[in-house]
């Protein structure tokens, strides 16, 4: 066994039980001399990044790390929505959990895009059609809204608070065809989700880690609730194209900014997002993916006469929209 491989294996064993550690430090001449069950027991305790590192150590560990059930476990831990049977079938149909993790764990980057120079980019001919301008003439012309799946997971302070899957794009196939004439937009919450019916709604309270809010006037001064939301919330929004068998995570995971008390003194708007490559599609070669999450304070300590009622906020909006750098 190479020294580097042995040291790496020893470090991995520290994540397991004492029994595993004792067995792993026994003298062996090669990695294959150890039981594959031992490796599997170690590997199933690792996160995706560590598991990928193990695959780079030697051919034997690389072979074991390709086990699909290991990556299914990693995806399940990171994205609870992948525990659903329909999502498991979807992931298997586009290449498996290992490919899914590789596609969706990193942020989307485009190293080929040069700095945008408004005076230097290629002017598109006036007689081009809209389809030609937006690059819809090849394989994408056969893609329809029903080919997209949104896999959404929300965490607060590391704890999963919401997992949902949207099949297709809501209202994209309506009779008036608005989707084909408007910016690309997906609403996670519909109008019905924001009414007085709280079934299935996402709530956060003091028991989830929120600070107690005695009054909104006090919150405007100290901003404790705003800071806890910005620091604690995490969002993953994965888009899957079933037809092209591709997937990507469009969210920034952590908030990029937002607004306090807008448009009322009880609303908090938090923004996530990313910049996506659009080479040969739009002149500026990139588009902005904007994800908006809005929470509303529904209970404060001073407003409730009943004892035990905690400070509570409710998720009232979650949407995703794509725009070019000029806002179109």
């Amino acid at each position: 066994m190479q020294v580097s491989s042995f040291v790496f294996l020893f470090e991995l064993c520290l994540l397991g039980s004492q029994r595993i550690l004792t067995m792993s430090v026994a003298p062996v001449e090669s990695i294959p001399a150890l039981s594959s069950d031992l490796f599997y027991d170690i590997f199933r305790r690792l996160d995706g990044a560590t598991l990928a590192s193990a695959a780079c150590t030697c051919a034997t560990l690389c072979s074991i790390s390709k086990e699909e059930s290991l990556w299914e476990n990693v995806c399940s831990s990171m994205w609870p929505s992948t525990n659903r049977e329909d999502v498991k079938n979807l992931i298997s149909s586009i290449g498996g959990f290992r490919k899914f993790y590789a596609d969706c764990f990193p942020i989307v980057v485009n190293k080929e895009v040069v700095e945008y120079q408004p005076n230097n980019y290629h002017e598109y001919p006036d007689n081009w059609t809209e389809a030609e301008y937006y690059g819809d003439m090849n394989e994408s012309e056969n893609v329809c809204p029903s080919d997209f799946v949104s896999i959404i997971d929300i965490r607060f302070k590391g704890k999963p608070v919401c997992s949902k899957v949207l099949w297709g794009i809501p209202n994209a196939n309506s009779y008036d065809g608005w989707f084909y004439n408007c910016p690309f937009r997906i609403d996670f919450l519909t109008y019905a989700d924001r009414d007085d019916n709280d079934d299935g709604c996402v709530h956060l309270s003091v028991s989830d880690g929120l600070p107690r809010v005695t009054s909104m006037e006090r919150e405007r001064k100290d901003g404790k609730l705003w800071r806890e939301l910005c620091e604690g919330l995490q969002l993953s929004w994965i888009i899957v194209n079933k037809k092209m068998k591709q997937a990507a995570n469009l969210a920034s995971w952590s908030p990029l900014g937002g607004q306090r008390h807008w448009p009322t003194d009880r609303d908090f708007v938090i923004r996530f997002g990313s910049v996506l490559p659009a080479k040969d599609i739009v002149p500026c070669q990139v588009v902005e993916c904007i994800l908006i999450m809005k929470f509303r304070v529904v209970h404060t300590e001073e407003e409730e006469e009943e004892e035990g009622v905690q400070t509570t906020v409710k998720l009232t909006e979650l949407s995703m929209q794509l725009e070019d750098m000029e806002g179109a």
Side-chain angles (χ1 to χ4, degrees):
M1 179 190 297
Q2 296 179 353
V3 175
S4 60
S5 299
F6 184 85
V7 172
F8 188 83
L9 177 62
F10 181 83
E11 292 174 349
L12 292 182
C13 292
L14 293 178
L15 300 174
S17 64
Q18 183 63 38
R19 178 183 61 84
I20 296 176
L21 177 61
T22 303
M23 293 175 62
S24 66
V25 297
V28 291
E29 296 181 357
S30 64
I31 285 182
L34 296 177
S35 169
S36 59
D37 292 338
L38 172 63
F39 288 111
Y40 185 86
D41 194 36
I42 296 172
F43 280 18
R44 68 182 179 83
R45 304 164 188 262
L46 307 180
D47 58 22
T50 308
L51 185 56
S53 297
C56 300
T57 305
C58 66
T60 301
L61 296 187
C62 179
S63 177
I64 297 173
S65 67
K66 292 179 180 180
E67 175 63 42
E68 191 69 359
S69 60
L70 294 174
W71 292 102
E72 180 179 348
N73 183 59
V74 168
C75 291
S76 174
S77 175
M78 189 163 191
W79 302 295
S81 53
T82 61
N83 283 317
R84 295 175 35 153
E85 285 301 320
D86 53 355
V87 177
K88 289 181 180 180
N89 294 334
L90 170 66
I91 294 175
S92 296
S93 69
I94 64 173
F97 284 91
R98 184 165 172 260
K99 178 181 181 296
F100 182 80
Y101 181 87
D103 289 343
C104 301
F105 175 73
I107 61 174
V108 179
V109 294
N110 186 9
K111 298 180 180 179
E112 297 180 0
V113 173
V114 297
E115 183 178 355
Y116 175 45
Q117 299 293 340
N119 297 327
N120 296 334
Y121 71 80
H122 173 66
E123 292 287 349
Y124 288 85
D126 294 335
N127 61 347
W128 274 26
T129 65
E130 182 179 0
E132 290 173 327
Y133 179 84
Y134 285 105
D136 297 334
M137 299 302 293
N138 297 319
E139 70 274 3
S140 59
E141 67 181 349
N142 296 320
V143 176
C144 61
S146 61
D147 293 322
F148 293 96
V149 181
S150 293
I151 302 176
I152 303 166
D153 289 283
I154 303 173
R155 292 177 180 268
F156 183 67
K157 295 190 174 181
K159 176 185 176 182
V161 296
C162 179
S163 295
K164 189 171 182 179
V165 179
L166 293 178
W167 297 88
I169 300 175
N171 303 317
N173 294 316
S174 58
Y175 69 93
D176 56 358
W178 68 267
F179 174 77
Y180 297 96
N181 299 308
C182 295
F184 186 96
R185 180 183 175 93
I186 299 178
D187 288 308
F188 173 81
L189 297 178
T190 63
Y191 180 80
D193 294 322
R194 296 194 294 267
D195 60 19
D196 294 333
N197 182 10
D198 283 350
D199 292 341
C201 291
V202 179
H203 291 86
L204 297 175
S205 64
V206 174
S207 60
D208 297 307
L210 288 181
R212 297 184 181 276
V213 177
T214 56
S215 68
M216 293 309 300
E217 182 178 356
R218 180 64 178 268
E219 162 58 25
R220 281 193 292 271
K221 294 179 180 178
D222 58 35
K224 289 183 178 180
L225 179 58
W226 169 248
R227 287 195 299 271
E228 290 294 327
L229 287 175
C230 285
E231 294 174 1
L233 281 170
Q234 294 177 317
L235 171 65
S236 170
W237 189 314
I238 295 172
I239 289 284
V240 179
N241 186 325
K242 296 187 295 182
K243 179 169 291 186
M244 301 181 70
K245 300 185 185 299
Q246 295 178 344
N249 196 338
L250 305 185
S252 53
W253 194 244
S254 298
L256 300 178
Q259 292 176 291
R260 296 175 56 197
H261 314 299
W262 182 92
T264 71
D265 64 347
R266 290 178 172 269
D267 290 316
F268 298 84
V269 178
I270 302 173
R271 293 185 177 88
F272 300 78
S274 57
V275 176
L276 310 177
K279 187 178 181 181
D280 300 326
I281 299 177
V282 294
C284 59
Q285 302 186 52
V286 292
V287 295
E288 184 180 15
C289 177
I290 305 168
L291 298 106
I292 299 294
M293 181 183 291
K294 182 187 293 185
F295 282 91
R296 174 167 294 175
V297 178
V298 293
H299 295 297
T300 61
E301 303 289 325
E302 70 172 2
E303 294 173 339
E304 302 296 334
E305 297 180 357
E306 180 182 354
E307 283 190 32
V309 176
Q310 301 177 332
T311 299
T312 306
V313 298
K314 174 183 176 181
L315 179 65
T316 59
E317 179 181 330
L318 180 56
S319 63
M320 183 269 282
Q321 181 169 318
L322 298 181
E323 296 181 352
D324 65 18
M325 304 311 291
E326 296 177 353

